[in-house]
Amino acid sequence: GHIVRNWKVRWFVLLQDKLLYYKIEGGKKEPSPKGRILLDGCTITCPCLEYENRPLLIKLKTKTNTDYFLECCSREERDSWALDITGAIHAGHPVQVQELHRMKNSFKLLENISLHHIVERMCDSSTGIKRTRNLEQGNRYKETFTGSALVDWLISNSFAVSRFEAITLASMLMEENFIKPVGARSTEATRYSDLSEQFLDDSTALYMFAESSKKNTSSKEELQFNISELRGTIVKQGFLVKQGHKRKNWKVRRFVLRADPAFLHYYDPTKEENRPVGGFSLRGCLVSALEDNGVPAGVKGNVQGNLFKIITKNDIHYYIQASSKAERAQWIEAIKPLT
């Protein structure tokens, strides 16, 4: 409400240039609208996080600077309304409408994303992500946030455009041990080895900051995930077998080694999209062959040999298996000059 700041159920009808809302009496909408919101010159904010206890808001600001806060019943409904309202705002510009629908399922993160910077912003006492206590199956967790709340926060703070982008970014934060899953719902999802399936955009999946993230946020040399890193010159590529970080299982991955900047990315060959499921900067890394007599410490499962290890500057250990000693030597020699 504009005068009394209370919340009331209204029936909304979206037209090409306006949004009408009606009172509900006896389960039916009244014949005449209670009010209207002219969409010409409107700006829309979704998700809107101005009300801490109302995560499903859309904010409309008219060109006369009147604010409207609209609450939906679910995130899916909220995002659907927001997309349609935005389309109506730009109805006279078909190119912009096409761009909106393209962005909905796009994958194009910001040119230069610092995970450390994101975590610092998340920890901010006034503008960061809101943390609460949660009780699940007899366990009490302090300072947790839900997966869907993190996705909303990333979009609201312009770190991602779509939910798909935000999920990918949140997965990076979890992969690099800035956040960790807690509770049955989120920890169960970590049994999937693919980066894209480990983080849940779900209001029942709980997460919290990992202890290591508090130590790393002040680091001067920040590990950065840049889209520009994928534009580097490809030095070498091929199929190798990689040990997972969590389940310690072994899966075939297509590795791509790039220079300028020096990164090693790995892709899931069973998926059609040409998107890495993981990767890391080679700056400051150590790479070495592992002896074939016995299973080295940190390696689990049935290993056939021809192993080599890469240790990142953040002390993350990657165990990789080549098909032969010659192939292992070729990869090590290609990686070493880029570290």
Side-chain angles (χ1 to χ4, degrees), residues 290-317:
L290 297 177
E291 296 298 330
D292 291 341
N293 52 344
V295 180
V299 175
K300 294 184 179 180
N302 185 18
V303 181
Q304 305 299 321
N306 307 317
L307 288 172
F308 63 99
K309 177 171 68 172
I310 301 175
I311 306 175
T312 69
K313 67 176 184 179
N314 291 330
D315 199 33
I316 298 173
H317 294 227

PDB file of all heavy atoms in Angstrom, residues 290-317:
ATOM      1  N   LEU A 290      53.786 -38.695 -10.793  1.00  0.00           N
ATOM      2  CA  LEU A 290      53.703 -39.524  -9.608  1.00  0.00           C
ATOM      3  C   LEU A 290      54.210 -40.919  -9.933  1.00  0.00           C
ATOM      4  O   LEU A 290      53.956 -41.450 -11.018  1.00  0.00           O
ATOM      5  CB  LEU A 290      52.256 -39.599  -9.102  1.00  0.00           C
ATOM      6  CG  LEU A 290      51.645 -38.269  -8.637  1.00  0.00           C
ATOM      7  CD1 LEU A 290      50.196 -38.475  -8.225  1.00  0.00           C
ATOM      8  CD2 LEU A 290      52.426 -37.674  -7.483  1.00  0.00           C
ATOM      9  N   GLU A 291      54.927 -41.481  -8.992  1.00  0.00           N
ATOM     10  CA  GLU A 291      55.489 -42.809  -9.212  1.00  0.00           C
ATOM     11  C   GLU A 291      54.380 -43.841  -9.398  1.00  0.00           C
ATOM     12  O   GLU A 291      53.316 -43.747  -8.786  1.00  0.00           O
ATOM     13  CB  GLU A 291      56.376 -43.207  -8.028  1.00  0.00           C
ATOM     14  CG  GLU A 291      57.602 -42.321  -7.838  1.00  0.00           C
ATOM     15  CD  GLU A 291      58.541 -42.374  -9.031  1.00  0.00           C
ATOM     16  OE1 GLU A 291      58.590 -43.430  -9.702  1.00  0.00           O
ATOM     17  OE2 GLU A 291      59.218 -41.370  -9.295  1.00  0.00           O
ATOM     18  N   ASP A 292      54.659 -44.848 -10.238  1.00  0.00           N
ATOM     19  CA  ASP A 292      53.655 -45.867 -10.536  1.00  0.00           C
ATOM     20  C   ASP A 292      53.688 -47.050  -9.576  1.00  0.00           C
ATOM     21  O   ASP A 292      52.838 -47.939  -9.652  1.00  0.00           O
ATOM     22  CB  ASP A 292      53.843 -46.393 -11.968  1.00  0.00           C
ATOM     23  CG  ASP A 292      53.473 -45.320 -12.995  1.00  0.00           C
ATOM     24  OD1 ASP A 292      52.760 -44.371 -12.622  1.00  0.00           O
ATOM     25  OD2 ASP A 292      53.903 -45.443 -14.149  1.00  0.00           O
ATOM     26  N   ASN A 293      54.665 -47.076  -8.664  1.00  0.00           N
ATOM     27  CA  ASN A 293      54.747 -48.205  -7.734  1.00  0.00           C
ATOM     28  C   ASN A 293      53.908 -47.902  -6.484  1.00  0.00           C
ATOM     29  O   ASN A 293      54.320 -47.201  -5.587  1.00  0.00           O
ATOM     30  CB  ASN A 293      56.213 -48.492  -7.346  1.00  0.00           C
ATOM     31  CG  ASN A 293      56.922 -47.254  -6.868  1.00  0.00           C
ATOM     32  OD1 ASN A 293      56.465 -46.141  -7.087  1.00  0.00           O
ATOM     33  ND2 ASN A 293      58.049 -47.442  -6.199  1.00  0.00           N
ATOM     34  N   GLY A 294      52.692 -48.444  -6.475  1.00  0.00           N
ATOM     35  CA  GLY A 294      51.782 -48.201  -5.362  1.00  0.00           C
ATOM     36  C   GLY A 294      50.884 -47.007  -5.624  1.00  0.00           C
ATOM     37  O   GLY A 294      51.068 -46.267  -6.580  1.00  0.00           O
ATOM     38  N   VAL A 295      49.892 -46.825  -4.743  1.00  0.00           N
ATOM     39  CA  VAL A 295      48.949 -45.714  -4.866  1.00  0.00           C
ATOM     40  C   VAL A 295      49.420 -44.559  -3.995  1.00  0.00           C
ATOM     41  O   VAL A 295      49.559 -44.720  -2.780  1.00  0.00           O
ATOM     42  CB  VAL A 295      47.529 -46.159  -4.444  1.00  0.00           C
ATOM     43  CG1 VAL A 295      46.547 -45.001  -4.560  1.00  0.00           C
ATOM     44  CG2 VAL A 295      47.065 -47.335  -5.302  1.00  0.00           C
ATOM     45  N   PRO A 296      49.668 -43.389  -4.589  1.00  0.00           N
ATOM     46  CA  PRO A 296      50.165 -42.251  -3.793  1.00  0.00           C
ATOM     47  C   PRO A 296      49.118 -41.771  -2.795  1.00  0.00           C
ATOM     48  O   PRO A 296      47.918 -41.997  -2.964  1.00  0.00           O
ATOM     49  CB  PRO A 296      50.432 -41.177  -4.862  1.00  0.00           C
ATOM     50  CG  PRO A 296      50.459 -41.897  -6.166  1.00  0.00           C
ATOM     51  CD  PRO A 296      49.562 -43.068  -6.007  1.00  0.00           C
ATOM     52  N   ALA A 297      49.596 -41.093  -1.753  1.00  0.00           N
ATOM     53  CA  ALA A 297      48.695 -40.502  -0.765  1.00  0.00           C
ATOM     54  C   ALA A 297      47.808 -39.471  -1.458  1.00  0.00           C
ATOM     55  O   ALA A 297      48.264 -38.692  -2.277  1.00  0.00           O
ATOM     56  CB  ALA A 297      49.508 -39.847   0.352  1.00  0.00           C
ATOM     57  N   GLY A 298      46.515 -39.462  -1.106  1.00  0.00           N
ATOM     58  CA  GLY A 298      45.564 -38.533  -1.722  1.00  0.00           C
ATOM     59  C   GLY A 298      44.842 -39.104  -2.918  1.00  0.00           C
ATOM     60  O   GLY A 298      43.898 -38.513  -3.422  1.00  0.00           O
ATOM     61  N   VAL A 299      45.288 -40.284  -3.387  1.00  0.00           N
ATOM     62  CA  VAL A 299      44.666 -40.925  -4.547  1.00  0.00           C
ATOM     63  C   VAL A 299      43.867 -42.117  -4.075  1.00  0.00           C
ATOM     64  O   VAL A 299      44.352 -42.929  -3.287  1.00  0.00           O
ATOM     65  CB  VAL A 299      45.726 -41.356  -5.590  1.00  0.00           C
ATOM     66  CG1 VAL A 299      45.075 -42.127  -6.720  1.00  0.00           C
ATOM     67  CG2 VAL A 299      46.465 -40.142  -6.129  1.00  0.00           C
ATOM     68  N   LYS A 300      42.635 -42.240  -4.554  1.00  0.00           N
ATOM     69  CA  LYS A 300      41.780 -43.351  -4.173  1.00  0.00           C
ATOM     70  C   LYS A 300      41.249 -44.030  -5.428  1.00  0.00           C
ATOM     71  O   LYS A 300      41.255 -43.467  -6.510  1.00  0.00           O
ATOM     72  CB  LYS A 300      40.611 -42.858  -3.309  1.00  0.00           C
ATOM     73  CG  LYS A 300      41.054 -42.300  -1.954  1.00  0.00           C
ATOM     74  CD  LYS A 300      39.862 -41.917  -1.104  1.00  0.00           C
ATOM     75  CE  LYS A 300      40.324 -41.389   0.254  1.00  0.00           C
ATOM     76  NZ  LYS A 300      39.181 -41.008   1.118  1.00  0.00           N
ATOM     77  N   GLY A 301      40.758 -45.258  -5.255  1.00  0.00           N
ATOM     78  CA  GLY A 301      40.147 -45.976  -6.362  1.00  0.00           C
ATOM     79  C   GLY A 301      41.138 -46.829  -7.128  1.00  0.00           C
ATOM     80  O   GLY A 301      42.319 -46.939  -6.796  1.00  0.00           O
ATOM     81  N   ASN A 302      40.641 -47.424  -8.194  1.00  0.00           N
ATOM     82  CA  ASN A 302      41.441 -48.299  -9.044  1.00  0.00           C
ATOM     83  C   ASN A 302      42.239 -47.465 -10.040  1.00  0.00           C
ATOM     84  O   ASN A 302      41.699 -46.961 -11.012  1.00  0.00           O
ATOM     85  CB  ASN A 302      40.524 -49.285  -9.771  1.00  0.00           C
ATOM     86  CG  ASN A 302      41.304 -50.298 -10.587  1.00  0.00           C
ATOM     87  OD1 ASN A 302      42.503 -50.489 -10.366  1.00  0.00           O
ATOM     88  ND2 ASN A 302      40.631 -50.945 -11.519  1.00  0.00           N
ATOM     89  N   VAL A 303      43.525 -47.306  -9.780  1.00  0.00           N
ATOM     90  CA  VAL A 303      44.372 -46.439 -10.604  1.00  0.00           C
ATOM     91  C   VAL A 303      45.292 -47.302 -11.455  1.00  0.00           C
ATOM     92  O   VAL A 303      45.916 -48.249 -10.962  1.00  0.00           O
ATOM     93  CB  VAL A 303      45.205 -45.494  -9.712  1.00  0.00           C
ATOM     94  CG1 VAL A 303      46.063 -44.587 -10.567  1.00  0.00           C
ATOM     95  CG2 VAL A 303      44.282 -44.668  -8.823  1.00  0.00           C
ATOM     96  N   GLN A 304      45.379 -46.975 -12.736  1.00  0.00           N
ATOM     97  CA  GLN A 304      46.177 -47.764 -13.667  1.00  0.00           C
ATOM     98  C   GLN A 304      47.601 -47.242 -13.839  1.00  0.00           C
ATOM     99  O   GLN A 304      48.390 -47.821 -14.562  1.00  0.00           O
ATOM    100  CB  GLN A 304      45.480 -47.777 -15.043  1.00  0.00           C
ATOM    101  CG  GLN A 304      44.045 -48.264 -15.002  1.00  0.00           C
ATOM    102  CD  GLN A 304      43.931 -49.684 -14.491  1.00  0.00           C
ATOM    103  OE1 GLN A 304      44.755 -50.542 -14.811  1.00  0.00           O
ATOM    104  NE2 GLN A 304      42.917 -49.934 -13.663  1.00  0.00           N
ATOM    105  N   GLY A 305      47.928 -46.141 -13.195  1.00  0.00           N
ATOM    106  CA  GLY A 305      49.266 -45.569 -13.345  1.00  0.00           C
ATOM    107  C   GLY A 305      49.264 -44.361 -14.266  1.00  0.00           C
ATOM    108  O   GLY A 305      48.209 -43.844 -14.646  1.00  0.00           O
ATOM    109  N   ASN A 306      50.477 -43.897 -14.633  1.00  0.00           N
ATOM    110  CA  ASN A 306      50.648 -42.730 -15.507  1.00  0.00           C
ATOM    111  C   ASN A 306      49.990 -41.481 -14.917  1.00  0.00           C
ATOM    112  O   ASN A 306      49.376 -40.693 -15.626  1.00  0.00           O
ATOM    113  CB  ASN A 306      50.086 -43.002 -16.908  1.00  0.00           C
ATOM    114  CG  ASN A 306      50.653 -44.270 -17.524  1.00  0.00           C
ATOM    115  OD1 ASN A 306      51.855 -44.529 -17.439  1.00  0.00           O
ATOM    116  ND2 ASN A 306      49.783 -45.085 -18.124  1.00  0.00           N
ATOM    117  N   LEU A 307      50.148 -41.337 -13.598  1.00  0.00           N
ATOM    118  CA  LEU A 307      49.527 -40.215 -12.897  1.00  0.00           C
ATOM    119  C   LEU A 307      50.451 -39.011 -12.860  1.00  0.00           C
ATOM    120  O   LEU A 307      51.679 -39.137 -12.813  1.00  0.00           O
ATOM    121  CB  LEU A 307      49.191 -40.608 -11.457  1.00  0.00           C
ATOM    122  CG  LEU A 307      48.035 -41.574 -11.223  1.00  0.00           C
ATOM    123  CD1 LEU A 307      48.009 -41.975  -9.753  1.00  0.00           C
ATOM    124  CD2 LEU A 307      46.715 -40.941 -11.616  1.00  0.00           C
ATOM    125  N   PHE A 308      49.830 -37.818 -12.854  1.00  0.00           N
ATOM    126  CA  PHE A 308      50.577 -36.615 -12.494  1.00  0.00           C
ATOM    127  C   PHE A 308      49.680 -35.728 -11.646  1.00  0.00           C
ATOM    128  O   PHE A 308      48.449 -35.872 -11.626  1.00  0.00           O
ATOM    129  CB  PHE A 308      51.127 -35.882 -13.714  1.00  0.00           C
ATOM    130  CG  PHE A 308      50.117 -35.332 -14.678  1.00  0.00           C
ATOM    131  CD1 PHE A 308      49.747 -33.997 -14.641  1.00  0.00           C
ATOM    132  CD2 PHE A 308      49.554 -36.142 -15.658  1.00  0.00           C
ATOM    133  CE1 PHE A 308      48.840 -33.482 -15.545  1.00  0.00           C
ATOM    134  CE2 PHE A 308      48.646 -35.634 -16.573  1.00  0.00           C
ATOM    135  CZ  PHE A 308      48.286 -34.294 -16.520  1.00  0.00           C
ATOM    136  N   LYS A 309      50.309 -34.830 -10.903  1.00  0.00           N
ATOM    137  CA  LYS A 309      49.599 -33.999  -9.934  1.00  0.00           C
ATOM    138  C   LYS A 309      49.883 -32.534 -10.212  1.00  0.00           C
ATOM    139  O   LYS A 309      51.004 -32.151 -10.536  1.00  0.00           O
ATOM    140  CB  LYS A 309      50.051 -34.366  -8.511  1.00  0.00           C
ATOM    141  CG  LYS A 309      49.403 -33.499  -7.425  1.00  0.00           C
ATOM    142  CD  LYS A 309      49.692 -34.028  -6.025  1.00  0.00           C
ATOM    143  CE  LYS A 309      51.139 -33.896  -5.639  1.00  0.00           C
ATOM    144  NZ  LYS A 309      51.372 -34.245  -4.222  1.00  0.00           N
ATOM    145  N   ILE A 310      48.830 -31.713 -10.081  1.00  0.00           N
ATOM    146  CA  ILE A 310      48.978 -30.262 -10.169  1.00  0.00           C
ATOM    147  C   ILE A 310      48.506 -29.676  -8.844  1.00  0.00           C
ATOM    148  O   ILE A 310      47.396 -29.962  -8.395  1.00  0.00           O
ATOM    149  CB  ILE A 310      48.158 -29.675 -11.335  1.00  0.00           C
ATOM    150  CG1 ILE A 310      48.595 -30.284 -12.669  1.00  0.00           C
ATOM    151  CG2 ILE A 310      48.302 -28.156 -11.386  1.00  0.00           C
ATOM    152  CD1 ILE A 310      47.746 -29.840 -13.852  1.00  0.00           C
ATOM    153  N   ILE A 311      49.345 -28.868  -8.223  1.00  0.00           N
ATOM    154  CA  ILE A 311      48.996 -28.183  -6.986  1.00  0.00           C
ATOM    155  C   ILE A 311      48.884 -26.696  -7.294  1.00  0.00           C
ATOM    156  O   ILE A 311      49.851 -26.075  -7.752  1.00  0.00           O
ATOM    157  CB  ILE A 311      50.040 -28.418  -5.879  1.00  0.00           C
ATOM    158  CG1 ILE A 311      50.261 -29.915  -5.660  1.00  0.00           C
ATOM    159  CG2 ILE A 311      49.603 -27.746  -4.582  1.00  0.00           C
ATOM    160  CD1 ILE A 311      51.370 -30.221  -4.669  1.00  0.00           C
ATOM    161  N   THR A 312      47.697 -26.106  -7.067  1.00  0.00           N
ATOM    162  CA  THR A 312      47.505 -24.691  -7.362  1.00  0.00           C
ATOM    163  C   THR A 312      48.139 -23.845  -6.257  1.00  0.00           C
ATOM    164  O   THR A 312      48.505 -24.352  -5.198  1.00  0.00           O
ATOM    165  CB  THR A 312      46.014 -24.345  -7.470  1.00  0.00           C
ATOM    166  OG1 THR A 312      45.410 -24.439  -6.176  1.00  0.00           O
ATOM    167  CG2 THR A 312      45.303 -25.293  -8.433  1.00  0.00           C
ATOM    168  N   LYS A 313      48.212 -22.553  -6.503  1.00  0.00           N
ATOM    169  CA  LYS A 313      48.812 -21.654  -5.506  1.00  0.00           C
ATOM    170  C   LYS A 313      47.954 -21.578  -4.243  1.00  0.00           C
ATOM    171  O   LYS A 313      48.432 -21.160  -3.190  1.00  0.00           O
ATOM    172  CB  LYS A 313      49.012 -20.261  -6.089  1.00  0.00           C
ATOM    173  CG  LYS A 313      47.732 -19.512  -6.408  1.00  0.00           C
ATOM    174  CD  LYS A 313      48.035 -18.107  -6.879  1.00  0.00           C
ATOM    175  CE  LYS A 313      46.753 -17.322  -7.113  1.00  0.00           C
ATOM    176  NZ  LYS A 313      47.045 -15.947  -7.558  1.00  0.00           N
ATOM    177  N   ASN A 314      46.663 -21.993  -4.345  1.00  0.00           N
ATOM    178  CA  ASN A 314      45.783 -22.049  -3.174  1.00  0.00           C
ATOM    179  C   ASN A 314      45.797 -23.426  -2.516  1.00  0.00           C
ATOM    180  O   ASN A 314      44.911 -23.748  -1.724  1.00  0.00           O
ATOM    181  CB  ASN A 314      44.352 -21.681  -3.567  1.00  0.00           C
ATOM    182  CG  ASN A 314      44.229 -20.220  -3.933  1.00  0.00           C
ATOM    183  OD1 ASN A 314      44.961 -19.377  -3.432  1.00  0.00           O
ATOM    184  ND2 ASN A 314      43.322 -19.909  -4.837  1.00  0.00           N
ATOM    185  N   ASP A 315      46.792 -24.256  -2.899  1.00  0.00           N
ATOM    186  CA  ASP A 315      46.998 -25.578  -2.313  1.00  0.00           C
ATOM    187  C   ASP A 315      45.830 -26.534  -2.581  1.00  0.00           C
ATOM    188  O   ASP A 315      45.472 -27.354  -1.739  1.00  0.00           O
ATOM    189  CB  ASP A 315      47.250 -25.469  -0.808  1.00  0.00           C
ATOM    190  CG  ASP A 315      47.929 -26.732  -0.261  1.00  0.00           C
ATOM    191  OD1 ASP A 315      48.725 -27.339  -1.004  1.00  0.00           O
ATOM    192  OD2 ASP A 315      47.640 -27.118   0.890  1.00  0.00           O
ATOM    193  N   ILE A 316      45.237 -26.423  -3.769  1.00  0.00           N
ATOM    194  CA  ILE A 316      44.241 -27.396  -4.212  1.00  0.00           C
ATOM    195  C   ILE A 316      44.960 -28.417  -5.078  1.00  0.00           C
ATOM    196  O   ILE A 316      45.702 -28.056  -5.998  1.00  0.00           O
ATOM    197  CB  ILE A 316      43.103 -26.724  -5.001  1.00  0.00           C
ATOM    198  CG1 ILE A 316      42.369 -25.717  -4.106  1.00  0.00           C
ATOM    199  CG2 ILE A 316      42.117 -27.768  -5.527  1.00  0.00           C
ATOM    200  CD1 ILE A 316      41.337 -24.894  -4.832  1.00  0.00           C
ATOM    201  N   HIS A 317      44.776 -29.707  -4.782  1.00  0.00           N
ATOM    202  CA  HIS A 317      45.486 -30.783  -5.455  1.00  0.00           C
ATOM    203  C   HIS A 317      44.590 -31.429  -6.523  1.00  0.00           C
ATOM    204  O   HIS A 317      43.470 -31.846  -6.227  1.00  0.00           O
ATOM    205  CB  HIS A 317      45.926 -31.850  -4.446  1.00  0.00           C
ATOM    206  CG  HIS A 317      46.956 -31.358  -3.476  1.00  0.00           C
ATOM    207  ND1 HIS A 317      48.105 -32.071  -3.165  1.00  0.00           N
ATOM    208  CD2 HIS A 317      47.042 -30.217  -2.750  1.00  0.00           C
ATOM    209  CE1 HIS A 317      48.829 -31.400  -2.295  1.00  0.00           C
ATOM    210  NE2 HIS A 317      48.196 -30.265  -2.022  1.00  0.00           N
TER     211      HIS A 317
END
